[in-house]
Amino acid sequence: MDGLLIPLEHVLLVAGILFACGLGGLMLRRNLLFMLMSLEVMLNSAALAFIAAGARWQEADGQVMFLLVLTVAAAEVAVGLGLVLQIQRRYRTLDMDAVTRLQE
């Protein structure tokens, strides 16, 4: 059974790559929905790192932190999508640059 375990370094590398992709999407995309999806990818990569670390040291702390991250991500999606709907109704666009220009 020990031969089926994935090394911690590999999981952390994947989590780092996912976090970098999410950060890149957050910085480069101006569409509000894409920004929320990028933020969700970043939260999921952090959750993956917590699960891997908890499994490595055989502690339940990683799973507890995963549940916390999952709860925060669900709240972020609920609030974020509510804000997206209000911005879409008010400004008729989801482009953050256009919303900033319209506010001026």
Side-chain angles (χ1 to χ4, degrees):
M1 192 77 174
D2 288 335
L4 297 177
L5 295 178
I6 299 172
L8 178 65
E9 294 81 17
H10 294 176
V11 177
L12 291 179
L13 179 67
V14 170
I17 291 170
L18 281 174
F19 192 86
C21 288
L23 185 62
L26 191 64
M27 295 295 164
L28 297 176
R29 300 299 295 239
R30 300 310 303 163
N31 187 315
L32 199 53
L33 283 176
F34 282 107
M35 292 171 75
L36 283 174
M37 288 187 335
S38 297
L39 190 60
E40 192 70 27
V41 168
M42 290 171 64
L43 285 171
N44 284 331
S45 70
L48 177 63
F50 281 127
I51 288 290
R56 168 69 168 87
W57 288 289
Q58 297 176 350
E59 294 288 331
D61 296 345
Q63 294 172 357
V64 171
M65 289 304 295
F66 171 75
L67 289 175
L68 178 68
V69 169
L70 196 64
T71 305
V72 168
E76 174 256 331
V77 166
V79 171
L81 287 179
L83 289 172
V84 165
L85 286 174
Q86 289 301 320
I87 289 172
Q88 173 63 32
R89 284 183 186 156
R90 177 173 285 176
Y91 299 109
R92 301 283 186 233
T93 184
L94 291 179
D95 184 25
M96 288 307 294
D97 291 333
V99 170
T100 304
R101 275 183 263 128
L102 289 174
Q103 286 181 345
E104 296 172 355

